[in-house]
Amino acid sequence: MNVVITLPKQLIIAIIEGTKTFEMRKCRPKHMKVGVDGFFVVEKGTNRIHCWCRVDEIQTVSGLFSLTKETCKMLAVSKEYVDTYRSNAKFIYLWRIGKVKRFEDGAVTLEDLVVDKAPQSFAYCPLSFGESY
């Protein structure tokens, strides 16, 4: 089952441009089928969905994992951001981004996916199963 996540505009642009190849999360959706399902990305502070990304792999790593410049580059964030994000986390999940389907601004909204508001972590999309884009 697909999910919705919230990201700031600069990370959405990095996904669309192909420079952000992993998404880092503190939890893993139990009902997501890796290689088929993925995530819709809503821009922080809006209800606009900018893209859908298939999740090709989920890597589980210790919250204390050692960070490299390459890891930060794949996440499109700074080492300081990762260090702050992963504090107090037992595990971190790295979602490898596969196929990306971009939507024109305003073409898809949270209401279209039957999601009430931009989620803090993630929200399941009840009307979207599998690779629908």
Side-chain angles (χ1 to χ4, degrees):
M1 180 179 275
N2 289 305
V3 298
V4 175
I5 65 169
T6 304
L7 290 175
K9 182 84 175 206
Q10 72 270 15
L11 293 182
I12 296 170
I13 291 168
I15 288 172
I16 292 169
E17 291 176 346
T19 57
K20 179 175 172 57
T21 57
F22 280 86
E23 174 59 20
M24 178 176 59
R25 292 283 152 164
K26 291 181 184 176
C27 53
R28 176 186 178 144
K30 292 180 175 135
H31 303 294
M32 177 186 282
K33 186 175 180 183
V34 174
V36 176
D37 296 328
F39 58 92
F40 292 92
V41 183
V42 61
E43 181 183 345
K44 185 176 184 175
T46 75
N47 74 342
R48 291 187 313 246
I49 306 292
H50 287 271
C51 58
W52 174 84
C53 307
R54 187 180 60 224
V55 175
D56 284 350
E57 175 186 14
I58 298 179
Q59 298 177 16
T60 305
V61 295
S62 166
L64 302 173
F65 70 96
S66 151
L67 208 58
T68 65
K69 286 183 181 179
E70 187 61 28
T71 303
C72 291
K73 183 178 177 183
M74 293 183 302
L75 293 168
V77 294
S78 68
K79 179 183 183 321
E80 294 76 23
Y81 178 88
V82 175
D83 288 340
T84 300
Y85 182 81
R86 68 186 176 151
S87 65
N88 300 320
K90 187 173 181 178
F91 295 103
I92 296 294
Y93 301 93
L94 301 177
W95 303 0
R96 186 165 54 86
I97 299 170
K99 177 181 177 181
V100 176
K101 170 64 177 163
R102 183 178 181 185
F103 303 120
E104 296 301 320
D105 286 341
V108 179
T109 64
L110 286 172
E111 292 82 17
D112 296 328
L113 300 175
V114 193
V115 175
D116 294 337
K117 61 181 180 171
Q120 179 70 26
S121 177
F122 69 86
Y124 286 105
C125 302
L127 295 182
S128 61
F129 296 90
E131 188 171 338
S132 43
Y133 293 97

